[in-house]
């Protein structure tokens, strides 16, 4: 049992703020149980010998952060190419280098990404990358929780060039990890411009058969929307609706180039949207994702960092600040993208079918987090990922006082050696 | 003398990158001298007893960051009001609370702001706040360097309600601090909508007489531009040109609502511009500052955080990332606001008439800064202020291994007590 004592602040999932309280975290057979209150040792008659006690003074506890669209192993490509036009960036830098990645490389890139997320208090995520099994392996090794989506592209991925075989592999992957404690398998037809109608339907059938999520990219750039309109007379959301893909088990990343009509369709089908403001801005996808329209129409929107190659980090605290100020700037309205709106999006793991019982502590001792007029404001607008102090996920302390507890001293050093070795094969 | 040994990376002011080198920092009568090279102990025949040695392994050295527009004591108002329309934010929250600030409050708020900047590697800044003398006092106490601008408003400031007296006080302030080692005094007519033509001219005369900077707000919001156009038939830059204010000793903050013609005027007069992207976005000033037009026309643009109440921190590494991605997004062009452009702006202290001889070290051991394909990319797009490890300004080590060396253990605790006491007087 873990007891966090004398917490200066606690923000719960409903964004209520409590001061000066304790939290007890118990791992029981049917899941994680949390008790909140004052003087819990006395009140709950706890034996200190059974307790891992964490001092909560000058700290703010809150739920783990949730990154709902990412490609974790792309940590390997951090900074390999920036400030480039999307087409050249993809065709000259990202794809040729990704083609060189082995199963083992993806494993080490995933470890690096998991440790980065852990450092930044991201405890739950939704990934999409080839060699998905290796992403899952790294996730379990570090102890985070995530939806690991197996990606499908008609021309194949570096994992396998045969699409039919890929789909069978995806099914095998899903079967294998169904019911796993930490990871949830899912299937990910990459995007309407890389996957045929048949592919989407096959993926959807698997998602339905196994009750898993279907994770896809949707309307990220204007180019893909115009191309589809020219070829099919339909916009991407209309298309996915027409071929019966959209429902509440679909999570669509980006959705930047979406009309108000398409927003209504996403709302009607209860399709989940992952908004990736930093990546969209950095890649100059153009336009601004219609977040406010989506929220007004009841679309469930959450936030993703996208891959590191277009971000270039996995810092969800940075992401929610940028999300907030982007939409304020875009609409000339400082009241939108407010503190509670972005915090709620960042805590929402229900869209992934995972309960957010994780707790992270933010260290409030640095000058940039003082004074505290409004703790939630300081978290959203003043803090960054490095202010995360302690991470407790699935009832385990994975990081304490900014030190990783889930790996030994030499682990990081050896990992960096591996990563530097992998780096050599890339052509910058 | 300070020797930084075995630096993994060094980025110089011209943005050149060196690997595996030493830097020697000597404070001499005529200023700071730096020597760069390998094995400097042997090469320069140094006696280790005379040296403060800092280990540069897994660190990147670069010039101190320069914040060219801020209101440091506004740290006191961090998070006091967010997500509000500008007019209400100012009239209901900022101004009534600022009116309660005493000289002593401004001093403590400045100490907090200086420590925040130090923590984030900001070694040189340009401030504008009432009780400027107290801002200067705190700056000197911490050991940073800055232009401390004495603000003038026609209706007075909380320091003094009489404008003529304020201008005489400003002159006295400038006289007192002329030639100071750490701070440079300047005069700051607040903005064309709060200062008359006469006020601007009086301020300009003082700036010219003493050879100091004139620091002002300019065209931050559409409202002030439209109002001036209605009243005078001129836009703010045209107006300041007409009344003979613009020259190369003027630094104008914001300049969001500027036409291409006005950009040309700023370039012609060599007037310096401080761009504050996060504040403009958060306050929903509307539009986007024409950074690319300014750079193309040769305007010298640098970057400011603005006050903490509208940011809500003084993190220049965050600011340059947001600057970059804002302009990429705005222009649908990923090539603008590139790494070198924003870094150059962030290192530029020459606009303040201060030489940037400071050195900061970035700690490269965290997962989000690995691998290193391009160290400058990792600094601009992946790092945040908390990654700053060590700060050497004016030849003194003010922070080492993320610990403040310029204050003792109890200082921060006592400061936070003072700040919390001041906080009580605000009405949230």
């Amino acid at each position: 049992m873990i007891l966090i004592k004398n917490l200066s602040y606690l923000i719960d999932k409903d964004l209520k703020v409590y001061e000066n309280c304790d939290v007890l975290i118990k791992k029981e057979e049917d899941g994680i149980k949390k008790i909140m209150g004052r003087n819990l040792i006395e009140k709950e008659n706890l034996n200190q010998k059974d307790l891992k006690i964490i001092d909560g003074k000058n700290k703010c506890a809150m739920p783990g952060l949730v990154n709902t669209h990412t490609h974790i192993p792309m940590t390997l490509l951090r900074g390999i190419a920036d400030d480039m036009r999307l087409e050249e960036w993809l065709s000259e830098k990202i794809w040729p280098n990704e083609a060189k990645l082995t199963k083992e490389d993806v494993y080490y890139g995933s470890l690096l990404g998991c440790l980065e997320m852990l450092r930044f208090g991201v405890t739950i995520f939704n990934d999409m990358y080839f060699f998905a099994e290796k992403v899952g392996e790294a996730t379990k090794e570090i102890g985070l929780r995530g939806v690991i989506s197996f990606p499908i592209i008609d021309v194949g991925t570096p994992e396998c060039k045969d699409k039919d075989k890929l789909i069978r592999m995806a099914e095998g992957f899903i079967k294998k990890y169904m019911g796993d404690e930490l990871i949830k398998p899912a299937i990910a037809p990459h995007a309407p411009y890389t996957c045929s109608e048949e592919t989407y339907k096959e993926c959807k059938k698997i998602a339905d058969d196994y009750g898993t999520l279907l994770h896809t990219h949707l309307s990220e750039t204007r180019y893909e929307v115009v191309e589809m309109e020219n070829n099919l007379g339909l916009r991407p959301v209309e298309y996915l609706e027409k071929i019966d893909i959209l429902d509440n088990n679909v999570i669509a990343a980006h959705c930047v180039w979406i009309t108000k009509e398409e927003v209504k369709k996403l709302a009607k089908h209860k399709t989940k949207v992952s908004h990736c403001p930093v990546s969209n801005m950095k890649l100059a996808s153009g336009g601004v994702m219609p977040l406010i329209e989506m929220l007004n129409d009841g679309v469930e929107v959450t936030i993703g960092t996208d891959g590191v190659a277009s971000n270039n980090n996995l810092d969800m605290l940075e992401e929610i600040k940028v999300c907030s100020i982007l939409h304020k700037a875009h609409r000339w309205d400082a009241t939108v993208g407010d503190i509670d709106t972005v915090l709620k999006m960042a805590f929402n793991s229900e869209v992934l079918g995972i309960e957010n019982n994780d707790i992270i502590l933010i260290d409030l001792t640095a000058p940039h987090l003082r004074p505290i007029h409004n703790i939630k404001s300081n978290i959203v607008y003043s803090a960054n990922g490095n202010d995360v102090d302690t991470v407790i996920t699935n009832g385990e302390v994975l990081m304490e006082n900014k030190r990783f507890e889930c790996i030994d001293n030499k682990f990081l050093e050896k990992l960096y050696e591996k990563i530097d070795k992998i780096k050599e094969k890339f052509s910058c």
Side-chain angles (χ1 to χ4, degrees), chain A residues 86-97:
Chain A
L86 181 70
E87 299 72 32
E88 292 150 32
W89 178 77
L90 276 173
S91 62
E92 292 171 20
K93 299 289 181 173
I94 300 304
W95 292 335
N97 282 315

Side-chain angles (χ1 to χ4, degrees), chain A residues 324-381:
Chain A
S324 168
I325 65 177
L326 168 65
H327 292 284
K328 290 177 194 312
H330 174 55
R331 298 180 78 97
W332 304 14
D333 181 354
T335 68
V336 303
D338 60 284
I339 292 169
D340 280 13
T341 296
V342 296
L343 270 185
K344 196 163 264 183
M345 290 196 282
F347 295 159
N348 182 348
S349 63
E350 281 71 28
V351 293
L352 304 178
I354 295 175
E355 204 185 344
N356 192 346
N357 263 324
D358 301 336
I359 286 195
I360 66 174
L361 303 185
I362 308 289
D363 175 4
L364 302 173
T365 56
H368 68 283
L369 297 175
R370 296 299 180 106
I372 303 168
H373 289 290
N374 173 353
I375 184 65
K376 289 190 281 186
S377 169
N378 284 20
I379 302 287
V380 171
Y381 294 126

Side-chain angles (χ1 to χ4, degrees), chain A residues 68-69 251-255 272-276 289 301-304:
Chain A
T68 60
H69 178 66
I251 182 156
H254 300 299
C255 298
K272 274 76 173 182
V273 171
S274 178
H275 176 28
C276 305
M289 187 266 205
V301 185
T302 55
I303 298 185

